[in-house]
């Protein structure tokens, strides 16, 4: 199982979007000059009555876009059958910086989600009973009774370490009552426990069914590499603690089965009028219409208002997801839930929600494995028939300056031409790989909204700018073994275009 997963991971790393370019003639160039882009955004509108016109009128934005393309000798198929949408108001450019969760915000979430429930600090000390259970688990892995990720040799190493720790392990650990107060927490790197810290908290209830975790930024300003050696002085591996800006707040209530493991692999974006899929109706009665407005989204909006975010966040997209995970031993679905995404409001305009964008880093561009990273903001709720059971908010930002309140944009017909030229350029190299049988790009939404790009030489400072996102799915059939194919489906933005200057934005690089 471990070897098979490693094969998949090595294959998946081959497929990444190309970097930003100033013109649609090449796929990879250096970072753009943001000062020139700002000058374009602040240029005088083409007509004197532009401010009185809607964005659709000013930039000739159609209601729909439809065309098809092929490439890579038929292995690449691009289908655009999309609704085109734009906000009503002007689109600003706003400077932001990476933020952390304040004590006020943490306390508000605690009161809204935990209330008066007695909570205790999560305990990471293994008791003798814990160690006995762990030893039994690894022995079952060795015997082939459990399909674990460890090899028999790795399982034995775990057993040896556990047996060595057993004599000094306590019989029990007295629980410590938890409060929402943030504390300075050392990062646990074994004997290097005190090399970095963060402010956060980790709490659970007595039954270990309710969790509340906050993790603000590490305090290291440079990447830390800790190397491991065997008794003969040979290096056995290393741990890298990079410089990252990805603060997180997560609260979760488990179900009676003891888990709430939902993933996005089979996520379906839902509209209000959609029917509940037949396979989901056996697990959940909440319909897409109820999720979109009447029940789930209303509960999310009420929660947002309760924690004081009504003017900052708004519901953006709703997905229906399940817990099927074929690669990790769950080939059958046993639960469904809705994921309700919220995005930041800037001057009343919503930012984009891009599922396939996780963090920005210049690692690939600068060939630096230690390059700092900055996660994209994500704020989502998971809801089923029992109500909200999971809230996750990562990488919050703080606005520092409004650069312009009404950005000048490119006419839509130029954006369309850029898309037609760049989509094949971006995806043909992957489709030509002999391990790829086919790549199908299906785009069903083209939206104008705000998205964050990095500022030059400031990895944790950026600009929210107007962008065109071509949303849809990428479905690829990959030959992973001589007699086995694997279908990988990605939801998100298949193409992101700077609406001001027409450059292509690489979500991984951040510009």
């Amino acid at each position: 199982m471990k070897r098979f997963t490693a094969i998949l991971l090595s294959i998946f790393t081959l497929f990444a979007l190309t970097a930003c370019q100033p013109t649609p003639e090449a796929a990879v160039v250096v970072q753009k000059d943001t000062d020139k882009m700002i000058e374009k955004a602040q240029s005088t509108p083409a007509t004197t009555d532009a401010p009185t016109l809607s964005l659709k009128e000013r930039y000739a934005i159609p209601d729909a876009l439809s065309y098809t393309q092929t490439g890579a000798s038929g292995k690449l198929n691009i289908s655009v059958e999309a609704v085109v949408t734009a906000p009503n108001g002007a689109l600003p450019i706003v400077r932001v910086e990476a933020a952390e969760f304040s004590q006020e915000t943490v306390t508000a979430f605690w009161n809204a989600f935990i209330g008066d429930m007695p909570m205790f600090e999560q305990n990471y000390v293994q008791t003798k009973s814990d160690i006995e259970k762990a030893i039994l688990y690894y022995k079952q892995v060795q015997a082939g009774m459990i399909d674990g990720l460890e090899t028999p040799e790795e399982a034995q190493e775990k057993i040896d370490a556990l047996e060595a720790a057993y004599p000094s392990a306590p019989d029990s650990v007295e629980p410590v009552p938890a409060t929402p107060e943030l504390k300075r927490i050392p990062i646990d790197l074994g004997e290097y426990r005190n090399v970095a810290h963060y402010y956060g908290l980790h709490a659970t209830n007595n039954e270990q069914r309710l969790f509340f975790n906050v993790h603000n930024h590490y305090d290291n300003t440079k990447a830390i590499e800790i190397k491991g050696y065997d008794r003969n002085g040979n290096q056995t591996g290393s741990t890298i603690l990079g410089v990252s800006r990805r603060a997180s707040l997560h609260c979760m209530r488990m179900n009676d089965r003891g888990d709430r493991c939902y993933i996005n692999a089979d996520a379906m974006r839902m509209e209000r009028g959609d029917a509940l899929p037949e396979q989901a109706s056996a697990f959940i009665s909440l319909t897409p219409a109820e999720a979109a407005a009447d029940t789930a989204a209303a509960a999310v909006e009420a929660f947002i208002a309760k924690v004081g975010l009504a003017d900052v966040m708004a519901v953006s997209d709703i997905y229906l997801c399940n817990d099927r995970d074929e690669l990790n031993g769950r080939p059958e679905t046993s639960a469904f839930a809705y994921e309700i995404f919220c995005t930041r409001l800037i001057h009343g305009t919503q930012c984009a929600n891009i599922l396939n964008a996780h963090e920005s880093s210049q690692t690939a561009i600068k060939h630096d494995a230690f390059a700092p990273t900055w996660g994209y903001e994500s704020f989502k709720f998971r809801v089923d028939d029992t109500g909200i059971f999971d809230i996750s908010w990562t990488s919050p930002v703080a606005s520092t300056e409004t650069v312009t309140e009404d950005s000048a944009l490119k006419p839509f017909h130029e954006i369309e031409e850029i898309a037609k030229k760049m989509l094949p350029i971006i995806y043909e190299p992957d489709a030509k790989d002999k391990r790829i049988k086919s790549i199908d790009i299906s785009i069903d939404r083209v939206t104008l909204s705000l998205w964050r790009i990095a500022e030059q030489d400031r990895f944790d400072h950026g600009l929210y700018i107007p962008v065109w996102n071509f949303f849809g799915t990428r479905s690829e059939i990959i030959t992973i073994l001589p007699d086995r194919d694997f279908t990988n489906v990605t939801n998100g933005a298949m193409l992101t275009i700077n609406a001001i200057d027409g450059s292509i934005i690489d979500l991984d690089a951040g510009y």
Side-chain angles (χ1 to χ4, degrees):
M1 178 68 183
K2 186 174 184 179
R3 180 174 178 271
F4 176 65
T5 303
I7 292 172
L8 283 179
L9 291 174
S10 65
I11 291 173
F12 293 158
T13 57
L14 294 173
F15 312 117
L17 291 180
T18 54
C20 172
Q21 52 274 303
T23 67
E25 302 298 331
V28 180
V29 300
V30 296
Q31 183 172 352
K32 289 183 62 62
D33 187 334
T34 52
D35 289 338
K36 290 183 178 179
M37 179 200 67
I38 291 172
E39 287 178 10
K40 289 184 178 181
Q42 295 173 331
S43 63
T44 304
T47 60
T48 56
D49 61 347
T52 66
L53 300 176
S54 68
L55 289 178
K56 283 205 165 193
E57 292 169 326
R58 286 169 67 178
Y59 301 108
I61 300 171
D63 293 326
L65 185 63
S66 177
Y67 69 89
T68 60
Q69 292 175 295
T70 59
S73 301
K75 291 173 63 179
L76 173 65
N77 296 286
I78 299 170
S79 173
V80 179
E81 197 67 43
V83 174
V84 182
T85 60
N88 293 324
L91 291 171
I93 294 179
V94 175
R95 279 196 167 89
V96 296
E97 62 184 12
E100 296 187 329
F101 293 102
S102 68
Q103 184 62 67
E104 180 183 7
T105 296
V106 171
T107 300
F109 271 76
W110 179 284
N111 292 338
F113 193 82
I114 302 296
D116 297 328
M117 173 70 68
M119 298 288 284
F120 301 91
E121 294 183 6
Q122 275 191 272
N123 168 46
Y124 298 101
V125 176
Q126 285 187 305
T127 63
K128 282 184 167 59
S129 175
D130 294 330
I131 292 177
E132 288 168 357
K133 293 176 182 177
I135 290 174
L136 175 61
Y137 167 80
Y138 288 115
K139 285 185 175 181
Q140 289 176 324
V141 170
Q142 280 186 322
M145 299 169 63
I146 296 177
D147 187 16
L149 296 179
E150 297 80 7
T151 65
E153 294 76 18
E154 290 170 336
Q156 186 59 51
E157 290 177 6
K158 299 284 188 180
I159 292 170
D160 293 342
L162 289 165
E163 289 178 340
Y166 186 83
S168 60
D171 292 323
S172 63
V173 178
E174 190 68 25
V176 177
T179 71
E181 181 184 357
L182 296 172
K183 297 182 179 181
R184 192 167 184 260
I185 301 173
I187 177 64
D188 190 0
L189 291 173
E191 60 183 297
Y192 302 96
R193 181 172 171 78
N194 293 311
V195 297
H197 298 77
Y198 63 92
Y199 279 90
L201 69 91
H202 304 279
T204 183
N205 68 343
N206 253 335
E207 294 76 27
Q208 302 250 323
R209 294 289 182 88
L210 193 63
F211 297 89
F212 193 98
N213 298 296
V214 179
H215 193 306
N216 279 324
H217 304 144
Y218 296 123
D219 58 9
N220 61 308
T221 57
K222 293 184 178 180
I224 300 170
E225 182 179 17
I226 298 174
K227 298 179 180 179
Y229 299 89
D230 61 21
R231 67 186 64 184
N232 298 318
N234 300 314
Q235 184 176 339
T236 57
S238 65
T239 298
I240 298 174
L241 182 65
V243 178
S244 176
R245 298 291 180 264
R246 196 180 178 87
S248 63
L249 186 157
H250 183 212
C251 33
M252 177 179 68
R253 171 174 50 84
M254 285 187 174
N255 60 11
D256 293 337
R257 193 182 62 188
D259 68 74
R260 283 291 192 187
C261 187
Y262 295 91
I263 59 174
N264 284 322
D266 295 326
M268 299 169 55
R269 187 173 181 275
M270 307 300 293
E271 298 285 357
R272 182 182 176 87
D274 292 340
L276 183 67
E278 183 178 352
Q279 66 270 29
S281 60
F283 302 97
I284 188 171
S285 62
L286 197 64
T287 67
E290 292 169 332
D294 303 332
T295 304
V300 168
E301 289 169 348
F303 188 97
I304 289 174
K306 190 173 183 178
V307 297
L309 296 174
D311 295 331
V312 181
M313 294 286 185
V315 172
S316 172
D317 299 289
I318 298 176
Y319 287 81
L320 179 65
C321 59
N322 61 62
D323 65 347
R324 190 181 72 84
D325 189 358
E326 185 176 357
L327 290 179
N328 289 302
R330 288 198 305 274
E332 301 297 329
T333 299
S334 59
F336 275 84
Y338 290 96
E339 284 191 331
I340 301 181
F341 288 85
C342 300
T343 56
R344 184 167 293 274
L345 294 171
I346 295 181
H347 291 218
T349 298
Q350 275 197 279
C351 299
N353 171 46
I354 303 180
L355 287 186
N356 56 329
H358 305 293
E359 63 184 11
S360 61
S361 172
Q362 296 184 25
T363 298
I365 306 300
K366 295 186 175 181
H367 307 289
D368 180 6
F370 300 99
T373 60
W374 182 13
Y376 291 114
E377 186 168 41
S378 174
F379 188 26
K380 67 181 178 182
F381 293 71
R382 285 174 173 165
V383 185
D384 61 11
D385 290 343
T386 67
I388 297 171
F389 64 84
D390 188 294
I391 305 172
S392 175
W393 185 6
T394 60
S395 304
V397 300
S399 300
T400 60
E401 178 191 2
T402 298
V403 178
T404 180
E405 294 184 355
D406 187 3
S407 305
L409 311 180
K410 277 188 170 294
F412 185 81
H413 71 86
E414 293 186 27
I415 299 298
E416 180 181 350
E417 290 305 310
I418 292 170
K420 288 180 177 179
K421 186 171 288 188
M422 286 309 303
L423 279 167
I425 289 176
I426 290 172
Y427 292 105
E428 271 195 324
D430 288 352
K432 289 178 179 178
D433 189 292
K434 63 182 180 181
R435 289 164 291 191
I436 297 293
K437 286 193 171 182
S438 65
I439 295 180
D440 293 326
I441 306 295
S442 178
I443 293 168
D444 59 5
R445 290 181 296 137
V446 179
T447 67
L448 178 61
S449 57
L450 300 176
W451 183 250
R452 195 195 83 207
I453 63 170
E455 283 207 85
Q456 289 168 296
D457 304 319
R458 299 291 298 274
F459 89 94
D460 55 359
H461 288 64
L463 294 165
Y464 270 96
I465 68 168
V467 301
W468 282 103
N469 276 304
F470 287 66
F471 284 109
T473 59
R474 166 178 171 161
S475 179
E476 55 195 11
I477 300 176
I478 311 166
T479 300
I480 56 176
L481 295 172
D483 59 344
R484 184 168 182 182
D485 293 337
F486 177 78
T487 300
N488 184 47
V489 179
T490 303
N491 291 289
M494 299 297 105
L495 179 67
T496 301
I497 301 176
N498 186 325
I500 297 167
D501 62 17
S503 61
I504 307 301
I505 295 175
D506 180 349
L507 300 177
D508 294 328
Y511 54 83

